[in-house]
Each structure stands twice: as C-alpha cells, then as structure tokens.
Amino acid sequence: MRERFWERFPLEALTPGEWEAICDGCGQCCLVRLEDEENQEIVTLSVACRLFDTTACRCSDYEHRFAKVPDCLQLTPERARAFHWLPDTCGYRRLAQSKPLPEWHPLRSGDPAGARRAGVSMHGMAVSEATVPERDYEDYIIAVMPCQS
C-alpha cells in the first residue's frame, strides 16, 4: 500500500488492498436495517447478517458473501457518499466527505482493535439474524434515522 494513501488519493483511486484497509472493523455496516416504506425512515437493529462473526467483527465468508447473502451491498465510493446510514465514524464515509480518519482508526493508530477501544465496534453488541425470528425484530431496534431529503 502507498504511504498515507487515505490522505493523498480519492476513494476512486485506491487499490483493492487500500480500499479494504479503510474498513475499521466496527461491523456497523453488517447490521440489519429496515426501511419504513411509509416515511422512508431507516431502522437499525442490533441484529447482524448471518455471516457476521460477532466476536471478530468481520464477515465469516467475505469472499463469498454476495453469493450467500443476496442483500449484501458492496460499498463503493458512490455508495459511501450516498448511504447516510453509515456511521459518522466510518472511514469510507469520512473520506467521502473529505474528513480525516479518526485517531483510533487502524491505519492511523496501528491498532487493529481501534474501533473496539473507541467504543464504536459491534463486538459483543450484536446477535446473528440466524438466531432472531423476524417477528421479534422490533425488540432489537437500536436507532431510527429520519428520511434524508
């Protein structure tokens, strides 16, 4: 990877390895989100994708995730700009908004557990969708984001 690439190049110019390194490992993008069709609110649950390893805060089958989870969305520079539900701490979102990575980010701190130490990780805070029936999703709501107009 190029030295301090995240400060020197736009998201579109990153190599695949650099792109992957922007992920801080918080796991927030792997949480189940539901959109209320009436008012376009986005409801976030403490329920994670069935492939999400809640201990490691990583996808358990990252290479095959799109085949195994058709709803899985590939993050792109365009989506990093458009997905207002990405947390403010997300490296992709911050760079898309021309903001610096937080000091705890693994690229800046050298600490792969930076997100966990900063308290933004889903480590131990999410449960797998494989263990929660959809009828109980209401019990797992952790945030409601109003429609972005």
Side-chain angles (χ1 to χ4, degrees):
M1 289 189 280
R2 297 170 287 186
E3 185 175 337
R4 300 186 73 81
F5 64 88
W6 62 94
E7 295 175 338
R8 300 173 43 226
F9 301 99
L11 290 173
E12 290 81 3
L14 300 183
T15 67
E18 291 168 344
W19 176 264
E20 294 298 324
I22 298 299
C23 177
D24 60 30
C26 75
Q28 291 189 49
C29 61
C30 295
L31 296 178
V32 173
R33 284 176 182 74
L34 306 171
E35 184 173 351
D36 184 313
E37 292 183 20
E38 286 183 27
N39 61 19
Q40 282 74 48
E41 287 180 334
I42 295 179
V43 176
T44 303
L45 309 177
S46 61
V47 176
C49 167
R50 63 187 169 87
L51 293 181
F52 185 68
D53 180 328
T54 59
T55 303
C57 271
R58 296 281 179 190
C59 182
S60 63
D61 195 0
Y62 190 75
E63 186 177 332
H64 302 108
R65 69 193 185 279
F66 301 121
K68 291 185 175 183
V69 181
D71 296 9
C72 185
L73 295 172
Q74 177 145 15
L75 196 56
T76 63
E78 297 79 24
R79 288 180 170 170
R81 289 180 188 91
F83 288 169
H84 64 280
W85 51 262
L86 287 170
D88 292 334
T89 56
C90 174
Y92 298 104
R93 181 176 183 179
R94 293 186 65 80
L95 294 179
Q97 296 174 337
S98 299
K99 294 180 181 176
L101 295 177
E103 288 184 28
W104 52 260
H105 191 284
L107 287 170
R108 292 193 58 200
S109 68
D111 180 5
R116 186 174 172 190
R117 293 188 209 296
V120 298
S121 168
M122 292 294 97
H123 177 82
M125 297 181 71
V127 296
S128 173
E129 68 182 337
T131 65
V132 178
E134 280 190 43
R135 69 178 179 274
D136 293 340
Y137 274 7
E138 190 173 291
D139 297 337
Y140 292 86
I141 295 172
I142 57 173
V144 177
M145 180 175 284
C147 171
Q148 295 281 323
S149 300

